[in-house]
Amino acid sequence: AFFAAAERFDAALGEHAGAFLLGGDAPTVADTVFVPYVERMVASLYYYKGYDVRAAHARVDAWFCALERRPSYRAVQGDAHTHAHDLPPQMGGCYATPAA
């Protein structure tokens, strides 16, 4: 289910010209509302599961790159360490996938 949702999000980012959800050269409220959730997913999936969302989904990576070029976003951007460690208390536990 997650992989299908990630593919749909990646596809949605390609529906309009520009790197942002609704297109254009600047983020909209849609980007602003959605980015904190995606930040947490990206950090936690990499930390706990070794899954690199940005490497696997080029438009998601381009979206983050476009946001990261903006000083206003960098001023409030969450860091991966905090995101990966704030989810267990909020969700009741996150566990690493054992190495195969």
Side-chain angles (χ1 to χ4, degrees), residues 10 16 24 36 45 48 54 65 73 75 79 81 83 91 96-97:
D10 196 67
H16 304 283
L45 284 167
Y48 289 103
R54 291 180 71 163
C65 287
Y73 173 70
D79 67 280
H81 178 82
H83 280 318
M91 298 178 64
T97 301

Side-chain angles (χ1 to χ4, degrees), residues 19-99:
F20 299 104
L21 279 168
L22 301 178
D25 296 327
T28 66
V29 172
D31 300 284
T32 305
V33 169
F34 207 62
V35 73
Y37 299 101
V38 182
E39 280 183 353
R40 283 190 186 131
M41 285 186 279
V42 167
S44 297
L45 284 167
Y46 189 78
Y47 184 83
Y48 289 103
K49 304 297 181 184
Y51 182 72
D52 190 342
V53 173
R54 291 180 71 163
H57 304 281
R59 289 185 193 108
V60 173
D61 184 54
W63 181 60
F64 272 112
C65 287
L67 287 164
E68 290 163 348
R69 285 192 290 273
R70 302 182 68 80
S72 58
Y73 173 70
R74 288 193 315 272
V76 297
Q77 179 180 19
D79 67 280
H81 178 82
T82 300
H83 280 318
H85 290 87
D86 70 1
L87 281 177
Q90 293 176 23
M91 298 178 64
C94 294
Y95 307 98
T97 301

